[in-house]
Amino acid sequence: MLFNPFKSVIGLDIGDETVKAVRLDLHRLSFKKIKTELVSYAEERLPDGSMFEGEIVKPEEVLHAVKEVSARTACKHKIPWVVCALPETKTFIKLLSIPVKQEMLSLNTIYEVAKKELPIPFNESYLDWQLMPHISNQSETKILLGAVLKKTADAYTYLLNIAGLTPLALEVEAMSITRTSLPPNSSGTHLILDIGQTSTTFIMYSNQTIQFTLSFEFSGNLLTERIQRALSCTEDEAERIKILCGMDFENCICHKQGQTKVCNIKEVMEKSMDELASYVQKGISFFSEHFSEAAEVDSIILSGGSGQMLFFDKELSKRAGKPVVRGNPLARIRTNTTLAKESSRPYMRFNTAIGLGLRGLHSPLGI
């Protein structure tokens, strides 16, 4: 940190529908005190079919969007340094226990364990891992293993290079989401739910590290589609109703097709919330059944733009039987003077990009 040469970094989140970027700057206030500042953010919608489940389908369209958001966030400065998220659907991350002492751990042993655990082909993957000495013991060593398909990582690296950017790191998305959802080295056991446009990422955090992740199809777009069908309205109207009403059924007023009336979205929203709660319960059960040191979940942390709907936290808490809180991606950073004056602050949608930027400024060469 003391000699970190990267004073400005772009966090880049390439999704199936949009490309998001933030610029974070590092300011040293004194020998021991620093300030991390959110300087700018940008979002560009991708043409339909440009990406599919994390794969680059139309490189020229994605390249244009990456260049656009990186130029807007750089604010006329040349900032080549970028940390980019790898798609959750093409990556794997899990805490593993290896039955050997840490000093006896070899590369071959890690590879043998990885071959058994990976849901993606070993020979077609890049691996990285981190020793977890604070939870290892004399009889076993714990590591946090991450993997990504080679063709995915190579495609992202090539895209960034063509865009004139220099990747400091490609990071599993769950790491950046966790970084903006919890303080460093947080104690306790927490479930992070990142509800995005096309999917939800389930991140189980315990013993100061990620234990495992899951991805399922519940998403903001799914809610919009269900509201659209239930109310026979346009997609834009359904999206607006979802944002304005959320789970506030009694005060939900629809403005559609030139008419104003009470919205009847209670049934579709409650059914969707029951579905999400079921996913949550299954994930928690998997944790308790398959992890020997599993502890009771202390809280559920909502991340992502779609998790910020009105009363969403209260309704999920009621169904899951756990405290539910909203994550704050700005907890570790400040906004500059210009952004602080904005009335609309869509920062929850940029939680992944902010987490990537924090990685670049505070741990550019490691997790």
Side-chain angles (χ1 to χ4, degrees), residues 51-251:
M51 299 282 297
F52 179 72
E53 295 184 351
E55 292 286 354
I56 301 171
V57 179
K58 299 178 181 178
E60 291 185 359
E61 302 285 3
V62 181
L63 177 62
H64 172 77
V66 168
K67 286 183 175 180
E68 181 68 22
V69 297
S70 59
R72 280 155 52 191
T73 51
C75 304
K76 298 182 180 180
H77 296 276
K78 184 173 178 58
I79 302 175
W81 312 115
V82 63
V83 179
C84 183
L86 291 167
E88 188 69 28
T89 53
K90 305 299 179 184
T91 58
F92 171 82
I93 186 168
K94 185 179 180 181
L95 184 69
L96 301 179
S97 297
I98 302 178
V100 297
K101 295 181 180 180
Q102 182 172 322
E103 57 268 24
M104 301 297 292
L105 187 64
S106 67
L107 193 60
N108 286 336
T109 303
I110 294 175
Y111 283 168
E112 289 303 315
V113 173
K115 288 177 182 178
K116 297 176 183 178
E117 294 285 345
L118 287 180
I120 53 181
F122 176 81
N123 292 330
E124 300 174 18
S125 305
Y126 291 127
L127 302 184
D128 198 5
W129 58 87
Q130 180 183 18
L131 290 172
M132 309 301 290
H134 65 285
I135 52 176
S136 299
N137 55 45
Q138 291 297 316
S139 61
E140 64 179 12
T141 302
K142 292 186 182 292
I143 65 169
L144 186 63
L145 177 72
V148 60
L149 286 170
K150 289 180 179 179
K151 65 177 184 179
T152 300
D154 291 345
Y156 276 56
T157 302
Y158 182 72
L159 179 79
L160 296 175
N161 289 334
I162 294 298
L165 300 170
T166 303
L168 295 176
L170 301 179
E171 183 170 71
V172 176
E173 186 179 20
M175 297 295 295
S176 56
I177 294 171
T178 301
R179 194 175 293 116
T180 55
S181 300
L182 288 166
N185 302 317
S186 293
S187 60
T189 299
H190 307 279
L191 165 58
I192 302 170
L193 281 181
D194 182 69
I195 306 174
Q197 293 172 304
T198 59
S199 65
T200 290
T201 300
F202 177 113
I203 305 169
M204 185 60 74
Y205 178 96
S206 186
N207 283 325
Q208 300 181 11
T209 188
I210 293 173
Q211 299 287 322
F212 71 97
T213 67
L214 297 171
S215 183
F216 47 89
E217 294 181 353
F218 186 92
S219 66
N221 286 354
L222 179 64
L223 289 174
T224 301
E225 291 171 8
R226 289 175 176 177
I227 293 172
Q228 183 180 0
R229 288 198 301 268
L231 300 181
S232 300
C233 61
T234 67
E235 181 180 348
D236 288 343
E237 288 169 340
E239 180 69 18
R240 185 166 60 251
I241 291 166
K242 180 186 73 175
I243 294 171
L244 293 177
C245 299
M247 304 296 291
D248 185 13
F249 310 125
E250 295 182 3
N251 299 307

Side-chain angles (χ1 to χ4, degrees), residues 14-33:
I14 303 175
D16 281 354
E17 296 189 351
T18 62
V19 177
K20 303 182 186 72
V22 301
R23 171 186 164 186
L24 298 185
D25 285 4
L26 190 67
H27 302 281
R28 184 162 295 282
L29 305 178
S30 65
F31 183 74
K32 293 184 177 181
K33 190 175 182 180

